[in-house]
């Protein structure tokens, strides 16, 4: 049994309607065994499902998939941190590569979102990762280090928990996760980068590095056996309750 804290996060992206989200949460909560103390599960449905899903949660926590950096104001279409906590969210995904790619999120925007989430009492789940091209050019360490430093530099208020998720862009939704040793190496690169911007005690106390990108029931444990892989962010394999419950069962056997 693992004594480290492990966090498994489901990222449902824009894949489910309200009714599908409700059915999925009900099936997951009904199928979960009693979770050990060291294992936490966070479900991140679309914004529209958050209020309906929250009362259905028993063992899982609620997360959102994005947040805006101001607490209130004339920002059409945006959602502020207090709006998420009001709905029962405890965490929020920030800087997912799909938002960097399709919505043009910049390093500066992502940094502001990290600050705002922390200020608003949400656990940031900051996503970083290199593209296939950057990897082929031998720049994965450089790219990921720059993303981490850009998002976390200048943090004065260090939260109780801060998740950084290493999500190589080429591994997302591809069926080809990174090799566990490669994830371990990149997680150490991330922790090294954080040492430049966070005090050592805060790093030790608050930060955990998770992996995301084609995680499934067959590969989750090999990834989690790496000493610096503290959990996973799961997309495709979190969309069906059987697949997601199989991941949780596998993790409990670790
Ligand atoms: P995937 O997605 O598990 O389908 O690769 C992960 C993610 O994008 O968070």
């Amino acid at each position: 049994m693992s004594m480290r804290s492990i966090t498994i996060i489901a990222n449902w992206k824009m894949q489910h309607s309200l009714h599908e989200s409700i059915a999925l949460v009900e099936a997951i909560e009904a199928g979960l065994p009693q979770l050990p103390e060291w294992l936490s599960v966070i479900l991140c449905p679309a914004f529209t499902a958050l209020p309906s899903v929250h009362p259905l949660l028993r063992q899982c926590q609620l997360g959102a998939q994005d947040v805006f950096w101001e607490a209130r104001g004339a920002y059409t279409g945006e959602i502020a941190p207090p709006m998420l906590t009001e709905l029962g969210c405890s965490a929020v995904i920030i800087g997912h590569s799909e938002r960097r790619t399709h919505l043009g999120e910049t390093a500066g925007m992502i940094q502001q979102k990290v600050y705002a989430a922390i200020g608003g009492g949400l656990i940031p789940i900051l996503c970083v990762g290199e593209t296939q091209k950057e990897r082929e050019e031998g720049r994965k360490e450089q790219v990921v280090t720059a993303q981490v430093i850009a998002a976390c530099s200048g943090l004065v208020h260090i939260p109780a928990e801060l998740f950084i998720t290493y999500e190589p862009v080429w591994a997302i939704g591809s069926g080809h996760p990174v090799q566990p040793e490669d994830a371990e190496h990149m997680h150490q690169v991330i922790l090294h980068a954080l040492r430049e911007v966070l005090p050592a005690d805060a790093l030790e106390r608050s930060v955990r590095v998770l992996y995301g990108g084609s995680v499934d029931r067959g590969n989750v444990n090999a990834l989690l056996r790496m000493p610096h892989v503290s959990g996973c962010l799961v997309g495709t394999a979190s969309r069906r309750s059987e697949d997601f419950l199989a991941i949780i069962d596998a993790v409990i056997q670790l």
Side-chain angles (χ1 to χ4, degrees), residues 6 26 33 60 87 97 148 152-154 197 217 220 242:
I6 301 283
E26 284 175 341
C60 301
L87 297 182
S97 67
V148 169
C152 298
S153 62
V197 287
R217 66 177 87 184
V220 67
E242 307 87 278

Side-chain angles (χ1 to χ4, degrees), residues 4 22 27 53 63 77 115 163 173 188 193 197 212-213 215 219 225 229 234:
R4 287 190 296 147
I22 290 171
V53 154
Y115 283 23
F163 295 139
Q188 291 189 24
V197 287
V215 173
N219 58 35
R225 271 190 210 107
V229 179
V234 187

Side-chain angles (χ1 to χ4, degrees), residues 195-213:
R195 261 177 228 126
E196 290 190 26
V197 287
L198 296 186
D201 58 328
L203 187 61
E204 187 66 34
R205 192 184 60 238
S206 309
V207 176
R208 280 187 288 136
V209 187
L210 317 183
Y211 168 76

Side-chain angles (χ1 to χ4, degrees), residues 158-179:
I158 314 287
E161 283 184 283
L162 170 59
F163 295 139
I164 315 281
T165 304
Y166 172 54
E167 293 213 309
V169 178
W170 50 270
I172 296 173
S174 68
H176 302 292
V178 77
Q179 289 302 309

Side-chain angles (χ1 to χ4, degrees), residues 11 13 96 98 167 171-174 212-215 233-237:
N11 175 12
K13 309 191 180 185
H96 192 282
E98 286 151 14
E167 293 213 309
I172 296 173
S174 68
S214 298
V215 173
L233 180 54
V234 187
T236 309

Side-chain angles (χ1 to χ4, degrees), residues 100 107 128-131 133-151 166 182 185-194 196:
R100 295 182 195 248
V128 297
E130 81 287 355
T131 61
K133 183 163 174 287
E134 289 161 344
R135 174 167 276 248
E136 281 161 8
E137 290 167 357
R139 298 198 296 123
K140 62 183 181 195
E141 291 90 351
Q142 186 193 330
V143 167
V144 167
T145 295
Q147 289 174 345
V148 169
I149 290 177
Y166 172 54
D182 200 346
H185 165 68
M186 291 306 291
H187 286 214
Q188 291 189 24
V189 167
I190 289 168
L191 288 165
H192 186 79
L194 283 168
E196 290 190 26

